[in-house]
Amino acid sequence: MKCKAFLVRSWAYLSMALVAAVILFLFGYVFVQGGPVITWEFFTASPSGSVLGSEGGIWPAIAGSLCFTATAVVLGGIPAIATALYLVFFCQSKLLRTVIQMVIQNIAGIPSIVLGLFAYSLLVRALGLGRCVLSAGVALAIMILPFIEVRAEKAFRELPPALTQSAYALGCSKSYTIWKIVLPACRGELVSGVILGACYAMGATAPLMFTGGVAYAAMPVSLTKPAMALPLHLYLLLAQGTSIPQAYGTAFVLMMVVLLSNFLAALYAKRRNRAWKQS
Amino acid sequence: METILTLKDVTITYDKKPALEQVSLSFPKNRITAVIGPSGCGKTTLLRAMNRMLEEEPGAAVEGQILLNGDDVRKLPSEELRRRVGLVFQTPAPFPFSIYKNMTFALRYYGVQNQERLAALVREKLTLAGLYEEVKDRLDKSALKLSGGQQQRLCIARALTAEPEVLLLDEPCSALDIRSIEAIEAMLLKLKETYTIILVTHNIAQARRIADYTAFFNNGRLVEFGEKGALFLQPRHEETKAFLSGVYG
């Protein structure tokens, strides 16, 4: 018995050590490989060089990624939160709720390249929007919608029912209760869900390959123009063998942006929760 | 005796299983009516049916008629009904805002915008609930920082801001200490001059102390309804006698 417990424990510790080691190695390796190119100029300059991207910086890709992500968050986050509100506070029919939840789970299961293809054939070609931030934003929005919806729905369900019931018992309408109590009370979870969704969108390459991301563009200025994006830039640098150090540098920046956003989201949710419990 | 709420053959079922059967009862105006009975006898269900909060629970169905001043409550818009028939829950549920914002929550919904008027109403209702003196210096502080008894009085004061005609209280003292209970009982005796109070309680002594009328429920049926002296001193039914002498309680 003692021997068995020892084995289970060692297995657990070893697994944990292995996972930690892999993550540390990954970060360390990318940092060491990309380190030399990471200068102030790398953040602020545009790609340059005889083969474009072999020198210079990635500023348009950083800005482009932020634009794609912001578009996706607006187009995906708002319907996601609204769907969650409907399911928790308005939907009376069990059947309808099951169907909607099934649809959302299925969206979550669609491979992102298929979403890219869908946005390409519908928005870029059939509707004639062309390759632009908007077309890619729609593909990314569909991708992150289930991600945000599930988190929002969980937050709404975990709200103490006594709060909403008290508001109804005062004769207040559901919409007033939602605006004044539900949304403020769940703000921490909603913001962290949206930021995590944004990280997910920022790291995705497939949905914007055909729909709005390009190898080179100036700073993004309009929703109807294409733009650069960090993951796509990384892919092209590697696929075309332009510059390995530049690729690692880009990877490092992408990882740091995503990691930082995750960290901020966790911090914000925690602080909101504490404020909620103490206030 | 003037009545305000009348139940006619009310049967309530949860997923087809009856929780209350064939209840007919009239609640007198400006009196405290206590609803007593063992746990699970349908007291809370009855309260929730009277302001249609039961509709928020899937699977609950109400048959028969519930009349508020002669109007079928199902024909009134639910928001108007809930404004006229306020409900305070067993566990105090203040909103996670300041005391002042808790008090103005419903008032703002009803369109009271004038700051002076809001302040006057907050003061009036808190005074009615016997809480104003205790909290007047910290109206801007979180309501969650109040003690349990204060929170419950705040919830009652908050229910009063909707200017209800009837106040339904679902075991408001079950989680409170003796001093808070005394404060709430004193408040209820004062409130009955203006409001009709229907109080669900498992505390027979409390019903005896403050109720003008008492209804005894058992197994989903109304067993006995009477003036407090009559019900407590000469219960007509064996079940009531058994409950009052502590067989069920």
Side-chain angles (χ1 to χ4, degrees), chain A residues 162-163 165-174 176-177 180-181 276-279, chain B residues 48 53 56 79 82 89 93-97 105 108-110 142 144-145 158-159:
Chain A
L163 290 181
Q165 299 251 320
S166 298
Y168 300 159
L170 286 167
C172 298
S173 67
K174 272 188 185 169
Y176 186 75
T177 309
K180 296 288 176 179
I181 293 186
W276 166 256
K277 276 177 195 143
Q278 281 178 352
S279 65
Chain B
R48 296 175 69 89
M53 285 296 287
E56 308 296 331
E79 285 161 26
R82 288 172 192 165
F89 298 96
F95 300 134
F97 318 138
F105 182 81
R108 287 183 195 277
Y109 176 72
Y110 296 127
S142 167
L144 300 179
K145 291 237 168 76
R158 188 177 67 187

Side-chain angles (χ1 to χ4, degrees), chain A residues 216-269:
Chain A
Y216 179 77
M219 288 296 290
V221 283
S222 157
L223 282 180
T224 55
K225 295 260 162 47
M228 292 181 71
L230 284 170
L232 186 64
H233 186 61
L234 170 62
Y235 168 75
L236 294 172
L237 286 176
L238 276 179
Q240 297 168 359
T242 313
S243 163
I244 300 296
Q246 288 270 344
Y248 274 111
T250 310
F252 183 73
V253 171
L254 181 59
M255 274 162 69
M256 287 324 280
V257 170
V258 169
L259 202 72
L260 203 68
S261 311
N262 266 302
F263 178 71
L264 287 178
L267 196 72
Y268 184 79

